[in-house]
Amino acid sequence: SSNGEMIYYTGFNESGQEIPISGGPHWLYVHGGSCVDCHGVNGRGGVPIMMSVAIPSDITYGSLTSEEEHEDEHEDHAPYTDETIKIAIREGINPAGEEFDYAMPKWDMSDPDLDDLIEYLKTL
């Protein structure tokens, strides 16, 4: 497995460092967690997460970067790029500049880890 896959499934990088978060569901702080806990093994989300009414979105790279219309609970926005995916993960903001639902944590991830995670999203 790759570093990106490890981060996606565990919330730890290949060096064994836990990726710090801010925001997000309380259970992430208590039990730990990662992308897979909300977006699923296939990255397609669609199922409400524990203790929230938020429905995680499809974060497969093809879906995020598609030219098809993107709409979330706030407004339409342009397709994601690698840079706007990084902003979404770190700052919780979509390409239109709107903040995500409180259920999406902000991940304090290094540039190399973020690059590896995006490479992994391309395989979903």
Side-chain angles (χ1 to χ4, degrees), residues 1-12 33-37 40-43 117 120 124:
S1 17
S2 68
N3 185 43
E5 182 177 19
M6 179 173 278
I7 293 167
Y8 188 85
Y9 276 88
T10 69
F12 287 80
S34 63
C35 312
V36 75
D37 293 314
V41 295
N42 62 9
L117 179 59
Y120 180 69
L124 296 178

Side-chain angles (χ1 to χ4, degrees), residues 105-124:
K106 295 172 181 82
W107 298 86
D108 186 13
M109 203 175 300
S110 70
D111 286 334
D113 284 346
L114 253 179
D115 291 339
D116 290 346
L117 179 59
I118 290 171
E119 286 305 309
Y120 180 69
L121 293 179
K122 293 176 182 180
T123 70
L124 296 178

Side-chain angles (χ1 to χ4, degrees), residues 11-99:
F12 287 80
N13 66 19
E14 64 189 355
S15 299
Q17 297 172 319
E18 184 174 13
I19 309 295
I21 61 168
S22 60
H26 179 70
W27 57 264
L28 277 175
Y29 294 96
V30 176
H31 301 290
S34 63
C35 312
V36 75
D37 293 314
C38 298
H39 297 281
V41 295
N42 62 9
R44 298 194 193 288
V47 178
I49 59 174
M50 180 174 36
M51 308 302 284
S52 175
V53 296
I55 299 177
S57 60
D58 182 339
I59 60 166
T60 58
Y61 192 80
S63 175
L64 292 173
T65 60
S66 169
E67 292 293 330
E68 292 180 24
E69 187 173 310
H70 290 265
E71 186 176 325
D72 60 24
E73 75 248 20
H74 300 288
E75 61 181 66
D76 294 337
H77 58 78
Y80 283 88
T81 64
D82 286 7
E83 285 308 309
T84 58
I85 292 171
K86 290 177 182 181
I87 292 168
I89 292 169
R90 282 187 175 144
E91 300 174 29
I93 297 172
N94 73 20
E98 294 286 327
E99 287 191 37

